Amino acid sequence: MKDILTTAKAAEILGVSIRTAQLWVESGQLPSWKTPGGHRRIPRQAVMDLVEHNTPEQYLPLSARAIILAGEGRAPDWRTHGLKGSGLLLDVTEDALDARKWLSFTCPMLVLIENAASGNNRKLLAELQADQRFRQTIIISSVENTENTETAVKPIGHDRLQLPLYSDVAATSAAILKHLTASAKKRAAPTGYPLPWNERVRLEAVRQSGLVGSGPEASFDNLVNLAAFATRSPVAMFTLVTQTEQWFKSRTGFEGASTPREWAFCNKTLYENDLTVIEDLTKDPHFSTNPALSEPFGFRFYAGAPVRDPLGFALGSVCVIDKIPRSLSQPERDALSTTADAASNLIRLRALEREIERHREI
């Protein structure tokens, strides 16, 4: 048992608080598992690796999150509008202390600080800009600009941006996304389907998952069968979306092992980064000429929910397909989302098992 540590002992060795160690465990930074009694246990080697390579990036790998420190009264609007098309999961608060807490255990791809010229918000911005842990994070500050409220996002340093404090959250979100997607398009070849802004990093997450090309697994098959049953759908799949193809880790009601990426209805799920329902594919301009709508497939309906890796990157989806236009009831939507979450948890478990095995071999 000397190779196994409690959370408290791991925190002591790392020189951090027990709460910080717990946050690292919860976010996947430290591999762990639960005993039958519900207690967390951590491999000693994982802790010693952090001690030996005591660099901030070892503690905080880049995650598929955006932290929004919203202006007073603006958090609800941010939760509504979000950053659609970014591929990021949003954590929204109006309290700088909350934002600081989240930043202590995750390294997000993006941070937005509104009212950045005042009080605790200004202090947090200065800390972030000086902290090397966040050198890969895009940090956006929003300040009042009464002279020219039409000014777009303005670079003020490497991955450091500034924009006016728009009165409308939707306008703020649109301005940020316009800048991000314009930058991303300069690095990517054009496609016939929308790409999330974080596509380059997402593809690396797919590669690192090791799932593409792996053998059948009953646990994923069971989830796909459950999705088909719960939504009364003849076709269901767990897809992994690479740069060139949509590969099926598990499927029922469909014979092929993959399709070209251009055919993938899941492209829209990746872009929306949420449960996506297309009741009639022939009426969606992105898919009206898709070969999968023709025989021998004849698909008309699609619904998919993202499947994520431990850092929140969408690897693909659990999706269901039908040959007739239709809708999903709220219980069916909930069932599909829950099934995708279960697949994500399986992926997290496999990542943990690989990490534990790696430490045993060292």
Side-chain angles (χ1 to χ4, degrees):
M1 294 296 292
K2 66 179 182 179
D3 293 328
I4 306 300
L5 302 177
T6 64
T7 304
K9 186 62 178 178
E12 178 185 339
I13 294 173
L14 290 166
V16 300
S17 69
I18 294 175
R19 178 54 182 155
T20 297
Q22 289 172 335
L23 291 172
W24 288 346
V25 166
E26 291 167 7
S27 63
Q29 323 292 330
L30 270 176
S32 69
W33 68 92
K34 278 188 177 181
T35 66
H39 301 292
R40 285 284 178 185
R41 294 295 181 261
I42 302 168
R44 174 183 288 273
Q45 188 60 52
V47 175
M48 299 315 296
D49 281 353
L50 292 183
V51 173
E52 181 180 354
H53 305 288
N54 189 16
T55 58
E57 54 267 34
Q58 291 296 119
Y59 290 96
L60 299 171
L62 200 64
S63 68
R65 307 200 76 85
I67 292 178
I68 309 293
L69 178 52
E72 185 177 357
R74 290 163 65 92
D77 285 345
W78 270 112
R79 294 188 182 100
T80 298
H81 292 287
L83 288 168
K84 180 180 176 180
S86 68
L88 303 178
L89 300 168
L90 266 62
D91 295 309
V92 181
T93 183
E94 295 177 15
D95 188 335
L97 292 178
D98 284 342
R100 181 176 280 105
K101 178 185 70 175
W102 294 337
L103 288 162
S104 72
F105 69 92
T106 187
C107 185
M109 293 193 73
L110 184 145
V111 174
L112 169 64
I113 300 179
E114 297 193 312
N115 294 325
S118 62
N120 290 331
N121 293 20
R122 180 175 62 185
K123 182 178 179 181
L124 179 59
L125 176 63
E127 291 173 2
L128 287 178
Q129 291 177 334
D131 195 330
Q132 286 299 301
R133 290 178 299 171
F134 304 107
R135 65 180 184 273
Q136 297 182 82
T137 298
I138 293 177
I139 300 175
I140 305 175
S141 55
S142 180
V143 295
E144 289 192 45
N145 183 353
T146 57
E147 296 180 0
N148 184 5
T149 57
E150 297 302 317
T151 302
V153 177
K154 178 176 68 175
I156 57 175
H158 179 65
D159 285 341
R160 304 295 182 257
L161 309 170
Q162 190 176 87
L163 79 161
L165 185 61
Y166 296 97
S167 59
D168 185 359
V169 167
T172 307
S173 176
I176 292 171
L177 286 168
K178 181 179 179 181
H179 179 86
L180 294 178
T181 54
S183 300
K185 285 179 180 177
K186 294 178 181 178
R187 302 192 301 266
T191 66
Y193 45 86
L195 292 173
W197 164 72
N198 69 347
E199 176 70 2
R200 180 178 60 83
V201 187
R202 189 199 69 80
L203 288 172
E204 178 60 19
V206 174
R207 187 191 68 80
Q208 291 187 8
S209 74
L211 288 167
V212 176
S214 60
E217 296 183 55
S219 52
F220 289 115
D221 292 343
N222 291 339
L223 289 175
V224 166
N225 289 331
L226 180 60
F229 174 79
T231 61
R232 302 169 294 111
S233 301
V235 178
M237 304 167 173
F238 166 28
T239 71
L240 295 156
V241 183
T242 73
Q243 186 172 12
T244 59
E245 71 173 351
Q246 174 181 240
W247 186 78
F248 308 132
K249 171 67 177 174
S250 182
R251 62 194 186 278
T252 183
F254 187 82
E255 294 301 320
S258 67
T259 68
R261 172 84 185 255
E262 291 79 5
W263 292 27
F265 306 137
C266 291
N267 282 320
K268 190 161 186 177
T269 298
L270 295 179
Y271 185 82
E272 298 286 340
N273 205 27
D274 202 352
L275 174 68
T276 303
V277 178
I278 307 173
E279 296 185 352
D280 189 342
L281 290 162
T282 64
K283 295 181 179 179
D284 189 307
H286 291 111
F287 301 114
S288 59
T289 60
N290 190 299
L293 272 62
S294 303
E295 294 300 330
F297 310 109
F299 296 148
R300 291 294 181 270
F301 166 84
Y302 165 86
V307 175
R308 307 182 190 279
D309 78 348
L311 291 173
F313 292 100
L315 307 178
S317 81
V318 170
C319 65
V320 294
I321 298 173
D322 208 332
K323 293 189 174 185
I324 57 172
R326 49 172 291 204
S327 60
L328 288 184
S329 66
Q330 190 57 53
E332 289 171 333
R333 287 171 177 258
D334 293 342
L336 185 57
S337 294
T338 300
T339 305
D341 289 343
S344 301
N345 288 335
L346 282 174
I347 291 170
R348 178 187 289 270
L349 177 61
R350 279 153 176 71
L352 173 59
E353 290 172 343
R354 288 197 304 270
E355 189 69 12
I356 292 173
E357 187 61 32
R358 184 178 71 85
H359 289 138
R360 285 174 178 165
E361 294 173 354
I362 294 177

PDB file of all heavy atoms in Angstrom, residues 99-116:
ATOM      1  N   ALA A  99     -13.884  33.024 -10.232  1.00  0.00           N
ATOM      2  CA  ALA A  99     -13.021  32.843 -11.396  1.00  0.00           C
ATOM      3  C   ALA A  99     -11.622  32.425 -10.967  1.00  0.00           C
ATOM      4  O   ALA A  99     -11.013  31.531 -11.582  1.00  0.00           O
ATOM      5  CB  ALA A  99     -12.966  34.142 -12.199  1.00  0.00           C
ATOM      6  N   ARG A 100     -11.098  33.033  -9.915  1.00  0.00           N
ATOM      7  CA  ARG A 100      -9.757  32.679  -9.434  1.00  0.00           C
ATOM      8  C   ARG A 100      -9.727  31.222  -8.961  1.00  0.00           C
ATOM      9  O   ARG A 100      -8.750  30.504  -9.197  1.00  0.00           O
ATOM     10  CB  ARG A 100      -9.350  33.634  -8.317  1.00  0.00           C
ATOM     11  CG  ARG A 100      -7.941  33.363  -7.774  1.00  0.00           C
ATOM     12  CD  ARG A 100      -7.521  34.391  -6.740  1.00  0.00           C
ATOM     13  NE  ARG A 100      -7.053  35.620  -7.389  1.00  0.00           N
ATOM     14  CZ  ARG A 100      -7.742  36.740  -7.449  1.00  0.00           C
ATOM     15  NH1 ARG A 100      -8.967  36.785  -6.929  1.00  0.00           N
ATOM     16  NH2 ARG A 100      -7.247  37.809  -8.029  1.00  0.00           N
ATOM     17  N   LYS A 101     -10.791  30.795  -8.284  1.00  0.00           N
ATOM     18  CA  LYS A 101     -10.863  29.401  -7.816  1.00  0.00           C
ATOM     19  C   LYS A 101     -10.824  28.435  -8.992  1.00  0.00           C
ATOM     20  O   LYS A 101     -10.084  27.449  -8.980  1.00  0.00           O
ATOM     21  CB  LYS A 101     -12.141  29.193  -7.002  1.00  0.00           C
ATOM     22  CG  LYS A 101     -12.339  27.762  -6.503  1.00  0.00           C
ATOM     23  CD  LYS A 101     -13.676  27.599  -5.819  1.00  0.00           C
ATOM     24  CE  LYS A 101     -14.827  27.677  -6.808  1.00  0.00           C
ATOM     25  NZ  LYS A 101     -16.140  27.398  -6.184  1.00  0.00           N
ATOM     26  N   TRP A 102     -11.630  28.710 -10.023  1.00  0.00           N
ATOM     27  CA  TRP A 102     -11.646  27.829 -11.191  1.00  0.00           C
ATOM     28  C   TRP A 102     -10.272  27.793 -11.860  1.00  0.00           C
ATOM     29  O   TRP A 102      -9.811  26.738 -12.296  1.00  0.00           O
ATOM     30  CB  TRP A 102     -12.698  28.308 -12.190  1.00  0.00           C
ATOM     31  CG  TRP A 102     -14.102  28.205 -11.689  1.00  0.00           C
ATOM     32  CD1 TRP A 102     -14.571  27.380 -10.709  1.00  0.00           C
ATOM     33  CD2 TRP A 102     -15.234  28.975 -12.137  1.00  0.00           C
ATOM     34  NE1 TRP A 102     -15.917  27.579 -10.519  1.00  0.00           N
ATOM     35  CE2 TRP A 102     -16.352  28.541 -11.376  1.00  0.00           C
ATOM     36  CE3 TRP A 102     -15.398  29.955 -13.098  1.00  0.00           C
ATOM     37  CZ2 TRP A 102     -17.614  29.073 -11.564  1.00  0.00           C
ATOM     38  CZ3 TRP A 102     -16.674  30.493 -13.284  1.00  0.00           C
ATOM     39  CH2 TRP A 102     -17.765  30.061 -12.519  1.00  0.00           C
ATOM     40  N   LEU A 103      -9.615  28.934 -11.931  1.00  0.00           N
ATOM     41  CA  LEU A 103      -8.308  29.011 -12.586  1.00  0.00           C
ATOM     42  C   LEU A 103      -7.222  28.293 -11.794  1.00  0.00           C
ATOM     43  O   LEU A 103      -6.159  27.997 -12.339  1.00  0.00           O
ATOM     44  CB  LEU A 103      -7.922  30.471 -12.801  1.00  0.00           C
ATOM     45  CG  LEU A 103      -8.714  31.194 -13.895  1.00  0.00           C
ATOM     46  CD1 LEU A 103      -8.594  32.695 -13.745  1.00  0.00           C
ATOM     47  CD2 LEU A 103      -8.233  30.756 -15.273  1.00  0.00           C
ATOM     48  N   SER A 104      -7.493  27.995 -10.540  1.00  0.00           N
ATOM     49  CA  SER A 104      -6.500  27.285  -9.738  1.00  0.00           C
ATOM     50  C   SER A 104      -6.399  25.817 -10.109  1.00  0.00           C
ATOM     51  O   SER A 104      -5.413  25.153  -9.783  1.00  0.00           O
ATOM     52  CB  SER A 104      -6.839  27.422  -8.244  1.00  0.00           C
ATOM     53  OG  SER A 104      -7.986  26.652  -7.905  1.00  0.00           O
ATOM     54  N   PHE A 105      -7.433  25.289 -10.796  1.00  0.00           N
ATOM     55  CA  PHE A 105      -7.365  23.864 -11.139  1.00  0.00           C
ATOM     56  C   PHE A 105      -7.650  23.559 -12.599  1.00  0.00           C
ATOM     57  O   PHE A 105      -7.733  22.392 -12.991  1.00  0.00           O
ATOM     58  CB  PHE A 105      -8.312  23.040 -10.240  1.00  0.00           C
ATOM     59  CG  PHE A 105      -9.779  23.258 -10.480  1.00  0.00           C
ATOM     60  CD1 PHE A 105     -10.472  22.463 -11.367  1.00  0.00           C
ATOM     61  CD2 PHE A 105     -10.464  24.242  -9.794  1.00  0.00           C
ATOM     62  CE1 PHE A 105     -11.833  22.649 -11.582  1.00  0.00           C
ATOM     63  CE2 PHE A 105     -11.826  24.432  -9.997  1.00  0.00           C
ATOM     64  CZ  PHE A 105     -12.505  23.634 -10.888  1.00  0.00           C
ATOM     65  N   THR A 106      -7.771  24.584 -13.443  1.00  0.00           N
ATOM     66  CA  THR A 106      -7.900  24.307 -14.868  1.00  0.00           C
ATOM     67  C   THR A 106      -7.208  25.404 -15.655  1.00  0.00           C
ATOM     68  O   THR A 106      -7.153  26.554 -15.221  1.00  0.00           O
ATOM     69  CB  THR A 106      -9.379  24.209 -15.297  1.00  0.00           C
ATOM     70  OG1 THR A 106      -9.455  23.788 -16.655  1.00  0.00           O
ATOM     71  CG2 THR A 106     -10.091  25.547 -15.173  1.00  0.00           C
ATOM     72  N   CYS A 107      -6.655  25.031 -16.790  1.00  0.00           N
ATOM     73  CA  CYS A 107      -6.029  25.997 -17.692  1.00  0.00           C
ATOM     74  C   CYS A 107      -6.930  26.102 -18.921  1.00  0.00           C
ATOM     75  O   CYS A 107      -6.829  25.293 -19.845  1.00  0.00           O
ATOM     76  CB  CYS A 107      -4.630  25.539 -18.085  1.00  0.00           C
ATOM     77  SG  CYS A 107      -3.722  26.748 -19.082  1.00  0.00           S
ATOM     78  N   PRO A 108      -7.846  27.064 -18.952  1.00  0.00           N
ATOM     79  CA  PRO A 108      -8.821  27.144 -20.048  1.00  0.00           C
ATOM     80  C   PRO A 108      -8.190  27.651 -21.329  1.00  0.00           C
ATOM     81  O   PRO A 108      -7.132  28.299 -21.314  1.00  0.00           O
ATOM     82  CB  PRO A 108      -9.850  28.144 -19.502  1.00  0.00           C
ATOM     83  CG  PRO A 108      -9.045  29.045 -18.621  1.00  0.00           C
ATOM     84  CD  PRO A 108      -8.003  28.155 -17.986  1.00  0.00           C
ATOM     85  N   MET A 109      -8.840  27.372 -22.447  1.00  0.00           N
ATOM     86  CA  MET A 109      -8.360  27.900 -23.711  1.00  0.00           C
ATOM     87  C   MET A 109      -8.618  29.401 -23.816  1.00  0.00           C
ATOM     88  O   MET A 109      -7.921  30.096 -24.558  1.00  0.00           O
ATOM     89  CB  MET A 109      -9.011  27.175 -24.890  1.00  0.00           C
ATOM     90  CG  MET A 109      -8.608  25.721 -25.029  1.00  0.00           C
ATOM     91  SD  MET A 109      -9.099  25.015 -26.637  1.00  0.00           S
ATOM     92  CE  MET A 109      -7.914  25.807 -27.740  1.00  0.00           C
ATOM     93  N   LEU A 110      -9.620  29.884 -23.067  1.00  0.00           N
ATOM     94  CA  LEU A 110      -9.982  31.295 -23.182  1.00  0.00           C
ATOM     95  C   LEU A 110     -10.490  31.816 -21.850  1.00  0.00           C
ATOM     96  O   LEU A 110     -11.205  31.113 -21.128  1.00  0.00           O
ATOM     97  CB  LEU A 110     -11.050  31.472 -24.265  1.00  0.00           C
ATOM     98  CG  LEU A 110     -11.496  32.889 -24.609  1.00  0.00           C
ATOM     99  CD1 LEU A 110     -11.818  32.998 -26.111  1.00  0.00           C
ATOM    100  CD2 LEU A 110     -12.740  33.299 -23.802  1.00  0.00           C
ATOM    101  N   VAL A 111     -10.110  33.060 -21.526  1.00  0.00           N
ATOM    102  CA  VAL A 111     -10.647  33.777 -20.369  1.00  0.00           C
ATOM    103  C   VAL A 111     -11.119  35.142 -20.850  1.00  0.00           C
ATOM    104  O   VAL A 111     -10.399  35.842 -21.574  1.00  0.00           O
ATOM    105  CB  VAL A 111      -9.589  33.965 -19.263  1.00  0.00           C
ATOM    106  CG1 VAL A 111     -10.147  34.835 -18.139  1.00  0.00           C
ATOM    107  CG2 VAL A 111      -9.141  32.624 -18.709  1.00  0.00           C
ATOM    108  N   LEU A 112     -12.335  35.520 -20.468  1.00  0.00           N
ATOM    109  CA  LEU A 112     -12.851  36.857 -20.738  1.00  0.00           C
ATOM    110  C   LEU A 112     -13.129  37.543 -19.414  1.00  0.00           C
ATOM    111  O   LEU A 112     -13.841  36.998 -18.558  1.00  0.00           O
ATOM    112  CB  LEU A 112     -14.138  36.794 -21.567  1.00  0.00           C
ATOM    113  CG  LEU A 112     -14.917  38.113 -21.682  1.00  0.00           C
ATOM    114  CD1 LEU A 112     -14.107  39.166 -22.435  1.00  0.00           C
ATOM    115  CD2 LEU A 112     -16.269  37.895 -22.357  1.00  0.00           C
ATOM    116  N   ILE A 113     -12.557  38.739 -19.236  1.00  0.00           N
ATOM    117  CA  ILE A 113     -12.804  39.535 -18.036  1.00  0.00           C
ATOM    118  C   ILE A 113     -13.468  40.836 -18.461  1.00  0.00           C
ATOM    119  O   ILE A 113     -12.851  41.681 -19.128  1.00  0.00           O
ATOM    120  CB  ILE A 113     -11.499  39.820 -17.274  1.00  0.00           C
ATOM    121  CG1 ILE A 113     -10.841  38.505 -16.833  1.00  0.00           C
ATOM    122  CG2 ILE A 113     -11.776  40.711 -16.054  1.00  0.00           C
ATOM    123  CD1 ILE A 113      -9.539  38.676 -16.097  1.00  0.00           C
ATOM    124  N   GLU A 114     -14.741  40.986 -18.101  1.00  0.00           N
ATOM    125  CA  GLU A 114     -15.449  42.229 -18.381  1.00  0.00           C
ATOM    126  C   GLU A 114     -15.191  43.223 -17.249  1.00  0.00           C
ATOM    127  O   GLU A 114     -14.790  42.841 -16.153  1.00  0.00           O
ATOM    128  CB  GLU A 114     -16.949  41.964 -18.540  1.00  0.00           C
ATOM    129  CG  GLU A 114     -17.267  41.055 -19.731  1.00  0.00           C
ATOM    130  CD  GLU A 114     -18.737  41.036 -20.090  1.00  0.00           C
ATOM    131  OE1 GLU A 114     -19.576  40.865 -19.175  1.00  0.00           O
ATOM    132  OE2 GLU A 114     -19.039  41.186 -21.289  1.00  0.00           O
ATOM    133  N   ASN A 115     -15.421  44.518 -17.538  1.00  0.00           N
ATOM    134  CA  ASN A 115     -15.104  45.567 -16.557  1.00  0.00           C
ATOM    135  C   ASN A 115     -13.681  45.395 -16.037  1.00  0.00           C
ATOM    136  O   ASN A 115     -13.412  45.465 -14.832  1.00  0.00           O
ATOM    137  CB  ASN A 115     -16.099  45.555 -15.392  1.00  0.00           C
ATOM    138  CG  ASN A 115     -17.500  45.940 -15.823  1.00  0.00           C
ATOM    139  OD1 ASN A 115     -17.677  46.782 -16.699  1.00  0.00           O
ATOM    140  ND2 ASN A 115     -18.500  45.320 -15.220  1.00  0.00           N
ATOM    141  N   ALA A 116     -12.754  45.163 -16.968  1.00  0.00           N
ATOM    142  CA  ALA A 116     -11.389  44.782 -16.599  1.00  0.00           C
ATOM    143  C   ALA A 116     -10.569  45.925 -16.033  1.00  0.00           C
ATOM    144  O   ALA A 116      -9.434  45.706 -15.596  1.00  0.00           O
ATOM    145  CB  ALA A 116     -10.679  44.188 -17.816  1.00  0.00           C
TER     146      ALA A 116
END
